[in-house]
Amino acid sequence: MDTTEFRRRGKEMVDLIADYLENIEQRTVYPDVEPGYLRSLIPEEAPEEPDTYEDVVKDIERVIMPGAASPACTELETVMMDWLGKMLKLPEDFIAGTHGQGGGVIQGTASEATLVALLAARCRAVRMILASDPQRPETGITSKLVAYSSDQAHCSVERAGMIAGVRMKKIPTEQSDKYAVQGETLRRMIQEDKAAGLIPFYFCATLGTTPSCAFDHITELGPICNAEKIWMHIDAAYAGSSFICPEFRPLLNGIEFADSFNFNAHKWLLVNFDCSTMWVKKRSDLIGAFEMDPLYLKHDHQESGRYFCTDNSLFRSLKMWFVFRIYGLKGLQDYIRKHVELAKEFESLVRADQRFEISADVVLGLVCFRLKGSNEVNETLLKRINNGRKIHLVPCLLSGQFVLRFALCARTTESRHIREAWQLITQLAEEVMQELPH
Amino acid sequence: MDTTEFRRRGKEMVDLIADYLENIEQRTVYPDVEPGYLRSLIPEEAPEEPDTYEDVVKDIERVIMPGAASPACTELETVMMDWLGKMLKLPEDFIAGTHGQGGGVIQGTASEATLVALLAARCRAVRMILASDPQRPETGITSKLVAYSSDQAHCSVERAGMIAGVRMKKIPTEQSDKYAVQGETLRRMIQEDKAAGLIPFYFCATLGTTPSCAFDHITELGPICNAEKIWMHIDAAYAGSSFICPEFRPLLNGIEFADSFNFNAHKWLLVNFDCSTMWVKKRSDLIGAFEMDPLYLKHDHQESGRYFCTDNSLFRSLKMWFVFRIYGLKGLQDYIRKHVELAKEFESLVRADQRFEISADVVLGLVCFRLKGSNEVNETLLKRINNGRKIHLVPCLLSGQFVLRFALCARTTESRHIREAWQLITQLAEEVMQELPH
């Protein structure tokens, strides 16, 4: 949608809202629909080709209004998470459908999803142990639990451990392994911890780490977790969107071993913030860990569904519905592919310049690079680049080396922006190198 | 703003966004401002009388754009929380200003605020104990911690305890005490728990409980918590908005003893969901409990501020800024007063009908009432009312009695809606009572 169409559609939407407000007293205050009413009103999968904007807007009255905010919100969320799960070719276990035990739920951020999974895992672990040893005090169990994640994992994983009050151990990674967690390392840590009387219960794998977009080997790690009854959560916050393209889907192989999986649809799938999409194999694991039952939350259909939705007032699934239909699966794939191509274009420019080096494999839309030389010269270059305020780079440390990260993330980025950015970077690099003492 | 003006302003806003998108390449990608730049650009307090809409919109370019999303978002949030804190006449300790140690932060919901306060309290308690007994294992401390809240508290308080992995005890309340937690009861529970080797560390007081809008006696409870070094959090999710009116502000007396305070500005202060406003006396208590320090989150002004903002991408403070200016303090006070008046009007109608009784003091916009008689007849009446889908009531249990709750919550409610609702309720009550076996 270009800005000309945006102006027209935006104004139509303002009128739609005003009409709704003017006529609100003609509507009932509570919906009159049966649980599951929504699923039959819309297709089972996202369209390949875009729908028309008119059709999308017409469906607000046809599909949403009969169910008002609730249950329409929960039902649309369940179905949209199925649509997206199918776009990602998730195993059937993660799809709610009408009879599945798994399904998806929208969180605000990947940090929330990591925490929610950790809390569900803690609850499952405590219940499993109490089932075999009912006399054991619960606080005694919690104090023995141990969780794991990569030393490349996002800091929110460590914070989730702090919040849940459990040990979180970082698994060391190596440059020679491309910063991916190895099965052998996890296996050894588990054995050592069990020998010391601890109870391993949670592993957060990362697909696409923040520093270098590294991918943990989940095909190796998953079976270890399954054998040890360790909850495996997969955090693919950034990389997850790319798995809708068949050529990137192999990066998700091993998902069948996971208990939960999450990525940020708001990061790279054109859905506005916030919309972090999370799937679990067993909805009951999540519901059971947070369930409360006061009278003021009871309703007539208490026992009919047991689906979940984190927030009825934000209605985040509407954004997914609009985006999936306005772009179609093909439009979204095109968008992902374009960013990866632009990253490859930037990588070629770096590789063609002898003064620079690439610091990690370019798999998706992130290019890690640096000037051959000291950390100081790279820090100076970064400062010079960011002070110009034309482009903005966020650095990282990889094996002690200060690395610049060029990340593709704007909807409107074109090849000319890549070339302009590189021209600016090389010009500033030249200045920085000339100022160096010889 | 009526719908005619909404149509005009909404369309102007669509054009503003489209213009921004069309000219985005002319803007820098990173702001060039010093920390604290924003505070001096706007007044220190919310206006008494409404500002014009034109002035508000002009200020987007003047105040926000120079600071882009960040730091403008954090700075506006800090200042808006000061504005609102001053509207509530919070003690100076809770105002950030330029030198204060306290201040406000926006959460998504009151449930989040309760949890965040609990986690900060847990961290403070563990650190205090470790300071005097450095050899004591941390897990051993957590397993002895105990938190308290009213048996009338929202279920999310109990859930916060589950998430944090600490004991949460419910303090019994009595109808004769208007369902408020009494100082003596809390004092006795603390003494018993300490005698049993537990460590009391957190008390969540409620001002305006969900079932009956009861108010815990914080002037009595606060000094007990302070003496025992127990963190007192005040959850005023619904009632908090009313404290901007001088006649309701006494309900907040005792706030000076609290460590943290929260209410939902999205519930009754005309700010769209979500916007749950939370204040603490010591920002460092909150920051210290969640702090992480990776290189990719570092920036040049790391040490200059230490303010907080839960989310840079939602920019929830913008909603507060617009609402406070479009209504002015007086407009917001009028809105609160009108709802309370309408509740009183409904209360009078109930009291004038001998078949009904009022079940709890009507303090703000909630009326708890029931047919004199069995729970069954009241349950039948509720079902009949809600099935009509003209009005919708949520019930509660008070001392074993099934009670109907009439809550004022829509912006456009007028006296005629109250009268129509009461007519409908009495008509259905008549039907229900005629069907009763004699």
Side-chain angles (χ1 to χ4, degrees):
Chain A
M1 189 182 286
D2 59 20
T3 46
T4 310
E5 195 185 352
F6 173 81
R7 285 179 205 271
R8 184 155 65 96
R9 300 309 190 185
K11 289 168 190 177
E12 288 171 10
M13 188 56 75
V14 168
D15 277 326
L16 194 78
I17 295 168
D19 292 346
Y20 172 81
L21 291 173
E22 277 174 0
N23 299 303
I24 198 160
E25 293 197 32
Q26 291 160 33
R27 295 182 184 268
T28 61
V29 295
Y30 203 73
D32 184 15
V33 294
E34 288 299 308
Y37 87 97
L38 186 143
R39 191 176 282 272
S40 61
L41 297 179
I42 64 175
E44 288 185 14
E45 293 189 33
E48 282 277 324
E49 305 286 343
D51 283 351
T52 67
Y53 183 83
E54 284 81 2
D55 282 344
V56 175
V57 169
K58 261 188 238 154
D59 277 354
I60 297 176
E61 193 57 45
R62 184 179 70 90
V63 177
I64 302 301
M65 287 305 173
S70 181
C73 175
T74 307
E75 298 208 3
L76 187 65
E77 182 162 324
T78 306
V79 178
M80 283 306 105
M81 291 300 288
D82 277 1
W83 276 24
L84 183 52
K86 289 172 188 173
M87 287 158 72
L88 297 161
K89 306 255 181 279
L90 289 187
E92 196 60 28
D93 293 348
F94 291 97
I95 305 297
T98 45
H99 299 293
Q101 301 197 345
V105 59
I106 306 177
Q107 307 287 345
T109 61
S111 313
E112 275 178 48
T114 305
L115 174 62
V116 164
L118 179 68
L119 293 169
R122 190 187 67 182
C123 180
R124 188 179 80 174
V126 170
R127 285 181 192 175
M128 272 194 319
I129 292 163
L130 285 178
S132 65
D133 183 3
Q135 304 306 321
R136 193 163 170 175
E138 193 173 323
T139 50
I141 300 171
T142 314
S143 65
K144 295 290 178 195
L145 293 175
V146 54
Y148 306 93
S149 70
S150 167
D151 62 2
Q152 302 290 306
H154 192 263
C155 64
S156 56
V157 180
E158 191 180 342
R159 188 186 285 132
M162 279 170 58
I163 291 174
V166 296
R167 268 187 204 78
M168 174 72 71
K169 293 199 174 178
K170 289 185 181 175
I171 306 173
T173 59
E174 303 283 343
Q175 186 170 20
S176 56
D177 298 323
K178 299 182 177 178
Y179 302 106
V181 170
Q182 306 294 303
E184 205 33 64
T185 321
L186 176 63
R187 199 192 311 269
R188 200 181 52 243
M189 286 177 76
I190 292 173
Q191 296 316 330
E192 286 172 9
D193 285 337
K194 283 169 72 175
L198 298 179
I199 309 168
F201 80 107
Y202 178 80
F203 168 57
C204 176
T206 312
L207 296 182
T209 61
T210 305
S212 68
C213 201
F215 290 78
D216 289 341
H217 293 173
I218 54 172
T219 47
E220 239 181 86
L221 299 159
I224 299 172
C225 291
N226 289 181
E228 299 283 349
K229 298 203 173 69
I230 292 173
W231 181 298
M232 182 163 85
H233 174 67
I234 297 176
D235 172 13
Y238 160 68
S241 300
S242 73
F243 306 153
I244 63 167
C245 301
E247 67 272 34
F248 300 123
R249 176 57 179 76
L251 294 166
L252 187 60
N253 288 350
I255 174 70
E256 59 274 19
F257 303 112
D259 294 284
S260 54
F261 165 63
N262 168 255
F263 77 94
N264 287 339
H266 61 240
K267 196 162 254 169
W268 199 12
L269 210 59
L270 291 159
V271 181
N272 277 350
F273 191 88
D274 53 1
C275 184
S276 185
T277 45
M278 176 187 193
W279 289 262
V280 288
K281 258 189 197 149
K282 284 198 176 169
R283 294 200 300 272
S284 58
D285 281 338
L286 232 63
I287 294 170
F290 299 100
E291 204 159 33
M292 294 285 153
D293 205 20
L295 181 59
Y296 52 81
L297 291 181
K298 281 212 193 306
H299 53 82
D300 284 349
H301 299 297
Q302 203 79 3
E303 292 310 315
S304 63
R306 313 257 305 162
Y307 290 92
F308 39 40
C309 162
T310 48
D311 218 301
N312 272 311
S313 311
L314 295 170
F315 218 148
R316 295 180 279 214
S317 55
L318 268 185
K319 297 186 289 192
M320 296 171 74
W321 197 35
F322 270 57
V323 168
F324 296 164
R325 296 181 66 185
I326 298 292
Y327 282 86
L329 176 57
K330 284 190 182 166
L332 293 170
Q333 289 171 335
D334 288 348
Y335 176 69
I336 297 283
R337 283 170 183 145
K338 185 174 169 189
H339 273 191
V340 179
E341 266 168 42
L342 290 171
K344 298 278 183 196
E345 182 180 345
F346 187 83
E347 182 191 10
S348 308
L349 293 168
V350 177
R351 288 198 188 276
D353 190 322
Q354 292 298 318
R355 299 167 298 178
F356 287 89
E357 60 190 2
I358 292 289
S359 307
D361 283 3
V362 178
V363 182
L364 299 172
L366 176 71
V367 184
C368 289
F369 71 108
R370 67 195 304 279
L371 274 170
K372 292 172 186 165
S374 68
N375 282 353
E376 289 68 29
V377 68
N378 279 288
E379 283 182 53
T380 309
L381 174 59
L382 178 81
K383 237 177 219 159
R384 209 66 69 90
I385 293 169
N386 285 346
N387 283 346
R389 296 170 206 283
K390 298 285 281 179
I391 56 177
H392 189 77
L393 304 186
V394 174
C396 74
L397 274 184
L398 289 176
S399 306
Q401 288 203 317
F402 190 91
V403 169
L404 281 61
R405 296 164 63 263
F406 187 88
L408 272 295
C409 43
R411 187 176 56 87
T412 50
T413 306
E414 301 287 343
S415 177
R416 74 176 166 88
H417 297 109
I418 302 300
R419 293 193 307 270
E420 283 170 21
W422 181 243
Q423 197 179 7
L424 182 66
I425 292 169
T426 47
Q427 182 193 321
L428 293 171
E430 210 143 309
E431 286 177 27
V432 169
M433 290 173 82
Q434 274 172 5
E435 292 163 19
L436 275 182
H438 285 283
Chain B
M1 189 181 287
D2 60 17
T3 46
T4 311
E5 195 185 351
F6 173 82
R7 284 179 207 272
R8 184 156 63 98
R9 300 309 189 184
K11 288 168 191 177
E12 287 172 10
M13 190 56 75
V14 168
D15 277 326
L16 193 79
I17 296 168
D19 291 346
Y20 172 81
L21 291 173
E22 276 174 359
N23 299 303
I24 198 160
E25 293 197 33
Q26 289 160 33
R27 295 183 184 267
T28 60
V29 295
Y30 203 71
D32 185 14
V33 292
E34 288 300 307
Y37 87 97
L38 186 142
R39 191 176 281 271
S40 61
L41 297 179
I42 65 176
E44 287 187 14
E45 294 191 30
E48 282 278 325
E49 305 286 344
D51 283 352
T52 66
Y53 184 84
E54 284 80 1
D55 283 344
V56 176
V57 169
K58 262 189 236 154
D59 277 353
I60 297 175
E61 191 59 42
R62 184 180 70 90
V63 177
I64 302 301
M65 288 304 176
S70 183
C73 175
T74 306
E75 299 208 3
L76 187 65
E77 182 161 325
T78 306
V79 179
M80 283 306 105
M81 292 300 288
D82 277 1
W83 276 24
L84 183 53
K86 289 172 188 173
M87 287 159 71
L88 297 161
K89 307 258 182 274
L90 290 187
E92 197 60 30
D93 293 350
F94 290 98
I95 306 297
T98 45
H99 298 295
Q101 300 197 347
V105 58
I106 306 175
Q107 307 287 345
T109 61
S111 313
E112 276 177 47
T114 305
L115 174 63
V116 165
L118 180 68
L119 294 169
R122 190 186 67 182
C123 180
R124 190 180 77 173
V126 169
R127 284 181 193 175
M128 273 193 317
I129 292 164
L130 285 178
S132 64
D133 183 3
Q135 304 305 321
R136 193 163 170 176
E138 192 173 323
T139 51
I141 300 170
T142 313
S143 66
K144 295 288 178 196
L145 294 175
V146 55
Y148 307 93
S149 70
S150 166
D151 63 2
Q152 302 291 308
H154 192 263
C155 64
S156 56
V157 180
E158 190 180 343
R159 189 186 284 132
M162 279 170 58
I163 291 174
V166 295
R167 268 185 205 77
M168 174 71 71
K169 293 199 174 178
K170 288 185 183 177
I171 306 174
T173 59
E174 304 284 344
Q175 186 170 19
S176 55
D177 298 324
K178 299 182 177 179
Y179 302 107
V181 170
Q182 306 295 303
E184 205 33 62
T185 323
L186 176 63
R187 199 192 312 268
R188 201 182 50 242
M189 286 177 76
I190 292 172
Q191 295 316 330
E192 286 172 8
D193 284 338
K194 282 168 72 176
L198 297 180
I199 309 167
F201 80 107
Y202 179 80
F203 168 57
C204 176
T206 312
L207 295 181
T209 60
T210 305
S212 67
C213 201
F215 290 79
D216 289 341
H217 293 172
I218 54 172
T219 48
E220 240 181 85
L221 299 159
I224 300 173
C225 292
N226 288 181
E228 298 283 351
K229 296 203 173 76
I230 291 172
W231 182 298
M232 182 163 84
H233 174 67
I234 297 176
D235 172 14
Y238 159 68
S241 300
S242 73
F243 306 153
I244 64 166
C245 300
E247 68 272 33
F248 300 122
R249 175 58 177 75
L251 293 166
L252 187 60
N253 288 351
I255 174 72
E256 58 274 20
F257 303 113
D259 294 284
S260 53
F261 165 64
N262 168 256
F263 78 93
N264 287 339
H266 61 241
K267 197 162 253 168
W268 200 12
L269 211 58
L270 291 159
V271 182
N272 276 348
F273 190 89
D274 54 0
C275 184
S276 185
T277 45
M278 177 186 193
W279 289 263
V280 289
K281 259 193 196 144
K282 284 199 175 166
R283 294 200 301 271
S284 57
D285 280 340
L286 233 62
I287 294 170
F290 299 100
E291 204 161 34
M292 295 284 155
D293 205 20
L295 181 59
Y296 53 80
L297 291 181
K298 280 209 193 311
H299 53 81
D300 284 348
H301 299 298
Q302 202 80 3
E303 292 312 315
S304 62
R306 313 257 306 162
Y307 291 90
F308 40 39
C309 163
T310 48
D311 219 303
N312 271 311
S313 311
L314 295 170
F315 218 146
R316 296 181 277 213
S317 55
L318 267 185
K319 296 185 291 193
M320 296 170 74
W321 198 35
F322 270 57
V323 167
F324 296 163
R325 297 181 66 185
I326 297 293
Y327 282 86
L329 175 57
K330 284 189 183 168
L332 293 170
Q333 289 171 335
D334 288 347
Y335 177 68
I336 297 283
R337 284 170 183 146
K338 184 174 171 188
H339 273 191
V340 179
E341 266 168 41
L342 292 171
K344 298 280 183 195
E345 182 179 346
F346 187 83
E347 182 191 9
S348 308
L349 293 168
V350 177
R351 289 200 188 274
D353 190 322
Q354 292 297 316
R355 298 167 298 180
F356 287 89
E357 60 191 2
I358 292 288
S359 308
D361 283 3
V362 178
V363 183
L364 299 171
L366 176 71
V367 184
C368 289
F369 71 108
R370 66 195 305 278
L371 274 170
K372 292 172 184 163
S374 68
N375 282 353
E376 289 67 29
V377 68
N378 280 287
E379 282 182 54
T380 309
L381 174 59
L382 178 81
K383 236 178 219 158
R384 210 66 68 90
I385 292 169
N386 286 346
N387 282 348
R389 294 169 209 284
K390 296 286 280 180
I391 57 176
H392 189 78
L393 304 186
V394 175
C396 74
L397 274 183
L398 289 177
S399 305
Q401 287 202 317
F402 191 91
V403 169
L404 281 62
R405 296 165 63 263
F406 188 88
L408 273 293
C409 43
R411 187 176 56 87
T412 51
T413 306
E414 300 289 343
S415 178
R416 73 176 167 89
H417 297 108
I418 303 299
R419 294 193 307 271
E420 283 170 21
W422 181 243
Q423 196 179 8
L424 183 66
I425 292 169
T426 47
Q427 182 193 319
L428 293 171
E430 210 144 309
E431 286 176 28
V432 168
M433 290 172 82
Q434 276 173 5
E435 291 163 18
L436 276 183
H438 284 285

